[in-house]
Amino acid sequence: MTSPLERAGLRPRVDKALAAFLTTQRSRLLAIDGVLADLADALDDFVLLGGKRLRPAFAYWGYRGAGGADSEQVVAAVAALELVQASALIHDDLMDRSDTRRGEPSIHRRFAARHAAAGWRGAGDSFGDSAAVLLGDMALVWSDELLHTSGIEPADLARARPVFDEMRTEVTAGQYLDVLTVVTGDTSTERASKVARYKSAKYTVERPLLLGAALAGAPESLMRAYSGYGLPLGEAFQLRDDVLGVFGDPAQTGKPAGDDLREGKRTYLVAAAHAALGQQERAELEARLGDPALDDAGVERLRALIRDSGALARTEERITALTTAALAELAAAEVEAEARGVLLELADAATRRAV
């Protein structure tokens, strides 16, 4: 069966729009200085050689579901979401000190290696960190530029801009809440759910849907229905990501097994385990969580604690409940038939990672 991300030829069309935009941006950088080819190369590789294009898919089918007509201008507009995603991932990897992303060196590691290979002065890690901050910032700036140069009619763009702006504020706030939760040690499921909602859920599903709907001039009733579908589905998506961060296969995730445990992520999965464990096991979880030197045996021990506490089963149940609630909202919404079918398939892909 064709992936829902391929319907309407969307993924290659998004890739084409991104490639054309990045080619133009490369020319602008090289006109400043030839050494900026390193930045252009890094962002080209990061954006064009990976990514499922899930966010543009939700935006595009949200647009089509509201009666919007297909066009390359709309595809270019929703492709801007991939640059928001690139910015978030580059910065997230830096904050988490992650070595890899999609099986390749993370951006800060890539530039640290560039420093070492060239024999430059100073600390390579510091240079890599600085480059990652700047490249992530550039991706975020360029996301705005791609949206407003997409060729969308000004009136349609004016409706969509508030959604785009709100989304970028929310994901930044969510990133800070995530960082704060790690250092404060807050292990409540309430806090974990809020972090999941703002760091990932809203900008993965709900806001892309609303962006597409706004571009199409959707009525308020459909905007509400898209929120009712998108917010729980986005949270289910993040919970699946959290499960993969602990129990996932590195060949699938592109990151070392147990990275979330070494980083001390206070996810819903971890919070549920913390609440269910006895005093001794809870103390062990606290002592090992966030240890960057955690070895494979330590990862396996924490996995066992989480699994035996019932937290994995509880998280799976929550994923199912959230997805069911999302699909009920979609079923009741007045959505164009083809788009409804694709949005149903996207819900399955997002929560099962069958993409």
Side-chain angles (χ1 to χ4, degrees):
M1 182 180 294
T2 303
S3 165
L5 301 175
E6 302 289 350
R7 298 298 169 80
L10 186 61
R11 182 148 52 181
R13 293 169 69 194
V14 167
D15 288 348
K16 182 179 178 181
L18 288 168
F21 177 78
L22 290 173
T23 296
T24 299
Q25 301 304 87
R26 173 185 291 272
S27 297
R28 293 173 65 187
L29 290 178
L30 295 182
I32 297 170
D33 197 303
V35 300
L36 296 177
D38 283 350
L39 290 182
D41 290 344
L43 201 54
D44 277 1
D45 290 348
F46 195 89
V47 173
L48 299 178
L49 300 182
K52 301 179 181 69
R53 311 306 186 221
L54 190 62
R55 291 159 186 83
F58 277 114
Y60 175 83
W61 290 107
Y63 169 83
R64 292 286 302 276
D70 186 24
S71 73
E72 296 309 319
Q73 290 78 16
V74 167
V75 171
V78 301
L81 292 165
E82 283 298 303
L83 294 175
V84 179
Q85 167 76 338
S87 173
L89 294 181
I90 290 168
H91 286 161
D92 194 50
D93 286 344
L94 173 60
M95 289 184 285
D96 291 343
R97 311 309 305 174
S98 296
D99 292 330
T100 61
R101 168 68 62 179
R102 300 168 182 157
E104 297 294 331
S106 51
I107 290 294
H108 60 284
R109 297 299 186 210
R110 174 177 176 141
F111 278 90
R114 177 76 177 93
H115 180 283
W120 291 332
R121 299 177 181 178
D125 286 347
S126 179
F127 174 76
D129 292 355
S130 298
V133 168
L134 294 168
L135 197 62
D137 288 350
M138 185 173 289
L140 193 60
V141 170
W142 284 359
S143 72
D144 190 76
E145 186 173 343
L146 179 53
L147 178 65
H148 76 244
T149 61
S150 61
I152 293 291
E153 290 294 325
D156 298 334
L157 194 59
R159 288 193 304 269
R161 285 215 61 90
V163 178
F164 196 70
D165 293 342
E166 187 72 12
M167 176 191 66
R168 292 184 299 166
T169 296
E170 286 170 344
V171 69
T172 304
Q175 284 278 23
Y176 177 75
L177 289 176
D178 187 31
V179 171
L180 183 66
T181 299
V182 171
V183 298
T184 59
D186 189 335
T187 51
S188 67
T189 54
E190 292 78 13
R191 171 59 67 175
S193 292
K194 177 174 280 191
V195 170
R197 190 174 308 123
Y198 284 94
K199 180 185 175 184
S200 180
K202 292 176 80 66
Y203 103 100
T204 297
V205 185
E206 184 199 17
R207 292 299 180 188
L209 282 167
L210 294 179
L211 179 72
L215 288 171
E220 185 60 34
S221 59
L222 184 55
M223 301 287 275
R224 288 194 300 270
Y226 276 165
S227 286
Y229 162 78
L231 190 54
L233 183 62
E235 188 172 345
F237 169 89
Q238 182 56 46
L239 292 180
R240 174 61 62 212
D241 205 54
D242 294 341
V243 170
L244 290 173
V246 174
F247 295 99
D249 179 356
Q252 180 182 12
T253 64
K255 302 189 77 173
D259 246 21
D260 281 6
L261 299 173
R262 296 184 183 92
E263 292 160 11
K265 295 286 187 182
R266 305 283 169 156
T267 62
Y268 182 91
L269 180 68
V270 168
H274 190 274
L277 288 169
Q279 184 175 354
Q280 183 175 340
E281 289 81 6
R282 185 182 301 133
E284 183 179 359
L285 176 67
E286 284 288 343
R288 290 175 177 262
L289 190 66
D291 178 4
L294 194 68
D295 59 14
D296 290 346
V299 168
E300 284 303 320
R301 174 56 183 160
L302 288 185
R303 285 174 170 169
L305 286 173
I306 292 168
R307 188 185 297 109
D308 294 347
S309 74
L312 178 58
R314 180 178 171 185
T315 302
E316 291 289 355
E317 289 167 1
R318 182 159 175 78
I319 290 171
T320 299
L322 287 165
T323 305
T324 300
L327 295 180
E329 287 284 344
L330 181 63
E334 294 185 8
V335 180
E336 188 272 341
E338 183 184 6
R340 183 192 301 278
V342 179
L343 289 172
L344 282 169
E345 293 179 35
L346 285 171
D348 184 72
T351 53
R352 295 178 185 270
R353 291 298 199 272
V355 292

